[in-house]
Amino acid sequence: MRGIQAAFLGFVSMTSAAFGQDKAAIDKLNESFMAAFQKGDTAAIGQMYAEDAYLLPSGGEMVKGRAAIQAFWTKAAEGIGDFKLTTVDVKPLGNDAAREIGTFTLKTKGQPPQEVTGKYVVVWQKVGGDWRLATDIWNTDK
Amino acid sequence: MRGIQAAFLGFVSMTSAAFGQDKAAIDKLNESFMAAFQKGDTAAIGQMYAEDAYLLPSGGEMVKGRAAIQAFWTKAAEGIGDFKLTTVDVKPLGNDAAREIGTFTLKTKGQPPQEVTGKYVVVWQKVGGDWRLATDIWNTDK
């Protein structure tokens, strides 16, 4: 009985550890995303997406594929100043996918700058051992 | 070699069959969702969500849990007439999750009625053998 309990606890803590790793990996990737955005390095942002990723922008048409997504962010970055992502929840789905829910705030570059708040869902997928954004959608709170 | 090929082809066709089944199951659930919405049966809609589901409405705050999601749809249904969901892509994630991307059109009940078009992402999860909406987010195209 003790052996079974120990094995079960071992399983639970392994699962938690794997989950913690996913969460930590995704937090780090979001830091990279924000840093690249701040520098206007949309090529680096494009590389964070899976080759066949979908982007579903609020107020715009669906965008498919890494090249088109990079072009989207290049255009979008022209009008956006400060930009912050905050993860709310990460849920692992199978061994190589995870669903992240988060919130964002951004300031537009217009005069006067406007603050926009919203929320997003990203489905991350492991491609060759690296987490990449496979599906990315957001909307605004107002 | 032939044995390996046959086993591999068997694996591929099993995967495709499972995928087709997921897609068909989700199509059927979307039909149920639209039918329940048309009848104003938001209790049935609520039951389609996982107990701990997240709803991220365009233009509103995040909603968590089946009861709150049902209340959201009860309120939303007051202002919405025709409502149509069209699946664009379904991707299985592990054995008990799938990511659906789709588009929607709806007509508001105001005078004159307005047509709204948009897109959505749903993460479905199998709970006790049944597919349920676990994460549901959408936005509008304009």
Side-chain angles (χ1 to χ4, degrees):
Chain A
M1 197 56 192
R2 241 164 205 254
I4 291 168
Q5 280 179 352
F8 180 71
L9 288 172
F11 173 73
V12 169
S13 65
M14 262 176 64
T15 305
S16 301
F19 167 69
Q21 277 170 23
D22 292 347
K23 170 78 167 67
I26 287 169
D27 281 345
K28 208 170 162 185
L29 287 165
N30 283 334
E31 292 292 336
S32 303
F33 193 108
M34 287 184 277
F37 199 89
Q38 225 62 43
K39 286 190 290 183
D41 186 358
T42 51
I45 291 179
Q47 288 303 313
M48 297 183 68
Y49 285 81
E51 194 65 62
D52 59 351
Y54 287 89
L55 189 81
L56 295 90
S58 189
E61 299 287 320
M62 202 182 296
V63 180
K64 179 136 198 258
R66 185 185 283 164
I69 290 171
Q70 182 180 328
F72 172 88
W73 283 118
T74 302
K75 181 91 184 127
E78 291 170 11
I80 299 173
D82 287 348
F83 173 63
K84 188 170 168 20
L85 303 169
T86 306
T87 302
V88 171
D89 190 62
V90 173
K91 183 184 243 177
L93 303 169
N95 292 323
D96 57 2
R99 183 277 290 136
E100 179 195 3
I101 291 175
T103 59
F104 70 87
T105 58
L106 63 86
K107 277 194 188 125
T108 63
K109 280 183 180 162
Q111 281 303 335
Q114 288 191 297
E115 188 163 294
V116 179
T117 64
K119 49 215 175 300
Y120 65 87
V121 172
V122 171
V123 176
W124 294 86
Q125 287 207 266
K126 256 188 196 156
V127 183
D130 294 319
W131 285 109
R132 303 214 183 258
L133 295 102
T135 308
D136 185 5
I137 179 171
W138 66 91
N139 60 37
T140 53
D141 291 341
K142 278 180 193 158
Chain B
M1 198 56 194
R2 242 166 205 251
I4 291 169
Q5 279 179 353
F8 180 70
L9 288 171
F11 172 73
V12 168
S13 66
M14 262 178 63
T15 304
S16 300
F19 168 69
Q21 277 170 23
D22 292 348
K23 170 78 167 66
I26 288 170
D27 281 344
K28 208 170 161 184
L29 287 164
N30 283 333
E31 293 291 337
S32 302
F33 193 108
M34 287 186 274
F37 199 90
Q38 226 61 44
K39 286 191 290 183
D41 185 359
T42 52
I45 291 178
Q47 288 303 314
M48 296 183 68
Y49 285 81
E51 193 66 61
D52 59 352
Y54 287 89
L55 189 80
L56 295 91
S58 188
E61 298 287 320
M62 202 183 296
V63 178
K64 179 136 199 257
R66 186 184 283 163
I69 289 172
Q70 181 179 331
F72 171 89
W73 284 118
T74 302
K75 181 92 184 127
E78 291 170 10
I80 298 173
D82 287 347
F83 174 61
K84 189 170 167 20
L85 303 169
T86 306
T87 302
V88 171
D89 190 62
V90 173
K91 184 184 243 177
L93 303 169
N95 292 322
D96 56 1
R99 184 277 289 135
E100 179 195 2
I101 291 176
T103 59
F104 70 86
T105 58
L106 63 85
K107 276 193 189 127
T108 63
K109 281 183 179 161
Q111 283 302 335
Q114 289 191 296
E115 187 162 293
V116 180
T117 63
K119 48 214 175 302
Y120 65 88
V121 172
V122 171
V123 176
W124 294 86
Q125 287 207 266
K126 255 187 196 157
V127 183
D130 294 318
W131 285 109
R132 302 214 184 259
L133 294 101
T135 307
D136 185 5
I137 179 171
W138 65 93
N139 61 35
T140 53
D141 292 338
K142 279 178 195 162

